[in-house]
Each structure stands twice: as structure tokens, then as C-alpha cells.
Amino acid sequence: MSASGGTKAIVAALGANLAIAVAKFVAFLFSGSSSMLAESVHSLADSGNQGLLLLGGKKAKREATPQHPFGYGRERYIYAFLVSIVLFSVGGMFAVYEGYEKIKHPHEIEAWYWPVGVLIFAIIAEGFSFRTAIKESNETRGALSWTQFIRRAKAPELPVVLLEDFGALIGLVLALGGVGLAVGTGNGVWDGIGTLCIGILLIAIAIVLAAETKSLLLGEAAGTDQVEKIKAAVVDGDTVTGIIHMRTLHLGPEELLVAAKIAVQHDDTATEVANAINAAESRIREAVPIARVIYLEPDIYNEAAARSGTNPAKDSTTDPAGSTAVTTAPTAPTAATPAPAPDEGPDTPADPTETSH
């Protein structure tokens, strides 16, 4: 997804929610339905959330500064996390409170045709917004299921809009059911129950959003397919004979940091190694265009240490950032090799743990 990915879905959701919020509030004024009040606040909160997503996307485009040398790409994650907070507090908790009050002090719904008509209109409008989000998501989702897409997407906007629109549609059905039962039975408690269910639904969605965006804020590795492409691009089989260990990290949805210690031949000159590193960087950027920041550190593959099991290049291991370290031994290893640098030598085993989102 590009930096503007999801913008069409966000704008569609923003327009739909503003229109729906006004219509729901008018219906509340004429009918006194608590479901309508909760739904109008929900739509207003959703409108604010779409505004936050647009603001985050704009701020993320700022150029890097000496104070923030890796740029502002994670602004999009921060604003997506704020969305979950707004959805939880303004949408979910308000609806729970309003539902509790309506159950405790029920009253009949007046002019029932107002809320019913508005809810039908809202379902149509939200359906259009949801369809737009699905269409844009399908362009980047690939073979992933919807659950996998929401959990693995590095750009937060589309998962947020998808969950918001899905929750809005379910909430509208709950509100319609609550109003219908309240009108049919003459008991306003059903309206309160519908409102309470809407609040619980919004809180659940907010918790899911918070958990997913928290993982993005902490920093996630590149996807498995991207890691494989990077590994294939680094090793040329001549000067660069393998990867001792590698780490990847998303600096933002469209910016990836790659850091790797690579194995080179013991008798290569400094010029040959420098040229090989430059060539490897070019191959990485060609294979994975979002790899913007690349650090490659050359080192000598230590066959003796690998045979004894103390060299991380001996076997394939999985690094903590989600990248699989793979090394191809040089064709002509030597018995005597220079000692590794004291800060991060190849005889320090990689951490085998793996984080996933």
C-alpha cells in the first residue's frame, strides 16, 4: 500500500459518517431513542477517527530531521492507536452508559418512523463505505484471509476503516432490532438493551485495534516474502558468500530498515568488499523497493567456529526480528581467520526467539 493507500476508503467513510451522524441525531430529537443517540455519537466518533487517520498520513510525509533521522513514518501508527482510544471511550463507553440508563429508566419511543428510516439510510451509506474499503483492501490483501490481513498489514488505515465499518453495520442492525422490539412490545427496555450491545461491540473492536497498532508501534519485521527476497538479493556467491545474521524493522508502513552481517572471502580487498556491498544494496532495493535504510557489515566466515557450533552461520536460525539467517559457506575457507570485531562477532549466537504480529 502506498503512502496514500486507503485514502479513498477513509474519505468515503468520513463523508458517510458525517451524513449519518446528523441524520441519527435528528432522529433522536424526534423519537427520544437512546439507540439513536448512541449511534449518532458513534458516527461522530468515527468521523473524528477518519480525520485522525488523514492527519497521521499527512504528518508521516515530513522529511527526516537530525532529531528524527529515520523520519516520521510511524506517525501513522500513533494516530491509528489514538483511533482505538477514541472508539473505546467516546463510542463504546458512552453507549454502555446510555444503554444502562435506558434500561434503568425506560420510556416509549415516539415517532418510531424517524429512527427506522434513518437506520435504513445509515445501513445503505455504511454499506457503500464498507464496499469501498473492501475493494481497496483486495488490491493489497493477496491470498491472505481477512483475519490475516488485519493482523499482518503494516499500513494501519485500511484495517482500521474495515473494522470501523464492520462494527458500524453490526451496530446499526442492533439498533434497528432494539428500536423494533421497543416499538413492537411498547417496552423501552429493548432500546436500552440494543444500545448496551452496541457499546460492548465498539469496546471489543477498540481493543482489537489497540492490540494490533501497539504491535506496529513497538516495531515489526518485514514479511516472510520480503525477507526471502532480501536474502536472495544479498548473496552473490562470489564476494558475498552468505548472511551471518540479519534484522529487519519497519520504520513506517512504506519504509524498511535492513541490517545484516554478511560473510565475505578472507582474501578480498577493501575495494572489492565495498563494491560488493554497494551492489548488494542495489539488489535489495530492486527486490524490495521499501528497503530505504540498509546497513551491511562485512565479516569473515569462521568455519572452525561453525563446526564447533559457536558460529551462528553454521545453521539456519530465526532472528528476533522475524528474519531467517541463512549462510552459504565460502568455497575456499581458510583455517586461520581474523578475529571478529568485539562488538558483534559472528561467534555470538543469534537470539532464536521470533516475534510475530
Side-chain angles (χ1 to χ4, degrees):
M1 189 189 306
S2 66
S4 61
T7 300
K8 185 177 179 181
I10 296 173
V11 172
L14 177 60
N17 281 316
L18 285 174
I20 292 170
V22 173
K24 288 176 180 175
F25 191 72
V26 171
F28 160 70
L29 292 178
F30 279 94
S31 67
S33 168
S34 66
S35 291
M36 284 293 92
L37 179 59
E39 276 295 309
S40 64
V41 173
H42 172 201
S43 294
L44 190 62
D46 280 352
S47 301
N49 288 341
Q50 273 98 53
L52 286 173
L53 292 176
L54 291 173
L55 180 61
K58 182 178 180 180
K59 285 183 170 292
K61 295 178 182 179
R62 289 180 293 171
E63 295 294 331
T65 63
Q67 187 177 7
H68 298 91
F70 291 113
Y72 293 85
R74 290 195 182 184
E75 289 264 22
R76 291 165 68 178
Y77 300 152
I78 293 172
Y79 280 88
F81 189 77
L82 290 176
V83 165
S84 67
I85 296 174
V86 172
L87 191 63
F88 179 88
S89 56
V90 179
M93 295 304 294
F94 176 82
V96 168
Y97 171 78
E98 186 66 23
Y100 169 77
E101 286 296 316
K102 189 59 182 287
I103 292 173
K104 191 176 180 181
H105 306 290
H107 61 80
E108 291 187 10
I109 295 178
E110 302 172 359
W112 60 268
Y113 42 84
W114 273 98
V116 171
V118 167
L119 286 171
I120 293 174
F121 162 73
I123 289 173
I124 295 173
E126 286 288 359
F128 168 76
S129 174
F130 192 42
R131 177 178 174 273
T132 302
I134 290 175
K135 184 178 179 181
E136 283 211 34
S137 299
N138 281 334
E139 295 178 1
T140 57
R141 184 168 65 95
L144 296 176
S145 67
W146 286 110
T147 301
Q148 291 173 329
F149 173 72
I150 291 172
R151 289 186 58 83
R152 298 182 186 180
K154 306 304 181 185
E157 290 84 1
L158 281 176
V160 169
V161 174
L162 279 169
L163 286 175
E164 277 191 347
D165 286 350
F166 176 75
L169 285 171
I170 300 299
L172 288 168
V173 172
L174 291 173
L176 188 60
V179 170
L181 287 172
V183 172
T185 63
N187 187 351
V189 170
W190 287 108
D191 187 30
I193 292 174
T195 306
L196 187 63
C197 291
I198 291 170
I200 294 172
L201 172 68
L202 295 180
I203 289 173
I205 292 175
I207 291 173
V208 172
L209 283 177
E212 297 305 316
T213 51
K214 172 193 169 186
S215 179
L216 293 169
L217 277 170
L218 288 175
E220 291 191 355
T224 304
D225 56 336
Q226 292 175 323
V227 171
E228 293 301 321
K229 290 179 181 179
I230 293 171
K231 285 160 40 181
V234 170
V235 180
D236 61 7
D238 184 15
T239 303
V240 182
T241 59
I243 300 174
I244 297 174
H245 56 72
M246 183 172 72
R247 303 289 188 271
T248 61
L249 178 69
H250 268 275
L251 301 174
E254 278 79 44
E255 190 166 12
L256 186 66
L257 181 149
V258 178
K261 177 168 283 192
I262 57 177
V264 298
Q265 300 283 10
H266 75 284
D267 54 354
D268 288 332
T269 65
T271 300
E272 290 173 331
V273 171
N275 290 336
I277 289 176
N278 291 334
E281 290 178 354
S282 297
R283 292 194 300 270
I284 291 172
R285 290 191 173 95
E286 184 178 353
V288 182
I290 68 170
R292 308 279 178 81
V293 183
I294 303 173
Y295 298 108
L296 299 180
E297 178 186 356
D299 209 333
I300 305 299
Y301 178 82
N302 192 324
E303 186 182 19
R307 283 200 304 267
S308 66
T310 60
N311 191 301
K314 177 182 179 183
D315 301 305
S316 295
T317 59
T318 303
D319 76 36
S323 305
T324 304
V326 175
T327 299
T328 303
T331 55
T334 60
T337 57
D343 59 336
E344 190 180 9
D347 55 348
T348 303
D351 186 351
T353 60
E354 177 180 1
T355 59
S356 62
H357 164 39

